[in-house]
Amino acid sequence: DYYVENENINITSDTVINVLEGDWDTFTGYTVSGTLTRADANGKTAYLKLVEQGAGYTDTALYKAVSSVFAGGIATYSKDDVFTENYTGWIFIDMNGNVNASNPLPDTGDYYATTDINVSGNTVINVNEGDWSTL
């Protein structure tokens, strides 16, 4: 991924900006990862959605990740190349196996957890057994 950083650009609807090859910087991003703990979720998968800070779980995901399958009550997840920003993270465990992987949303009986996340470096967000709620 590439981006141009310049704090002096004011873009209006009629603005044309030419970006030259030498103006591009390479962005490697940060990793958001963690360990999820839920004793009754063995064989299940969890889904992470990072949305704009304060947005709900039905809002558009800016980043998504899928966990490993829970085994021994534990799963892990990881998402690379996340831009520096404040997000709200929604993580849910698909307990009934009916998730739409392209737009993961929890439904009745699924466990979920949410937290605000400030990504300014590699970030670890763990969800412990007592942190989950149900819809």
Side-chain angles (χ1 to χ4, degrees), residues 31-80:
T31 299
V32 175
S33 62
T35 300
L36 311 174
T37 305
R38 184 73 201 185
D40 60 349
N42 289 330
K44 307 298 183 188
T45 303
Y47 296 82
L48 165 73
K49 285 177 70 169
L50 295 182
V51 296
E52 291 183 19
Q53 189 168 40
Y57 69 88
T58 60
D59 289 310
T60 302
L62 302 172
Y63 299 96
K64 295 185 281 189
V66 179
S67 76
S68 60
V69 175
F70 277 81
I74 295 174
T76 59
Y77 70 92
S78 183
K79 179 62 183 168
D80 295 327

Side-chain angles (χ1 to χ4, degrees), residues 60-133:
T60 302
L62 302 172
Y63 299 96
K64 295 185 281 189
V66 179
S67 76
S68 60
V69 175
F70 277 81
I74 295 174
T76 59
Y77 70 92
S78 183
K79 179 62 183 168
D80 295 327
D81 293 330
V82 177
F83 281 104
T84 299
E85 188 62 65
N86 294 318
Y87 302 96
T88 294
W90 291 92
I91 302 173
F92 78 92
I93 304 170
D94 181 26
M95 295 300 289
N96 51 9
N98 67 347
V99 71
N100 173 354
S102 65
N103 184 25
L105 296 171
D107 60 6
T108 302
D110 291 341
Y111 292 109
Y112 76 92
T114 185
T115 187
D116 288 334
I117 301 169
N118 176 338
V119 176
S120 58
N122 292 334
T123 304
V124 175
I125 303 293
N126 297 321
V127 182
N128 298 312
E129 184 79 26
D131 297 337
W132 299 100
S133 299

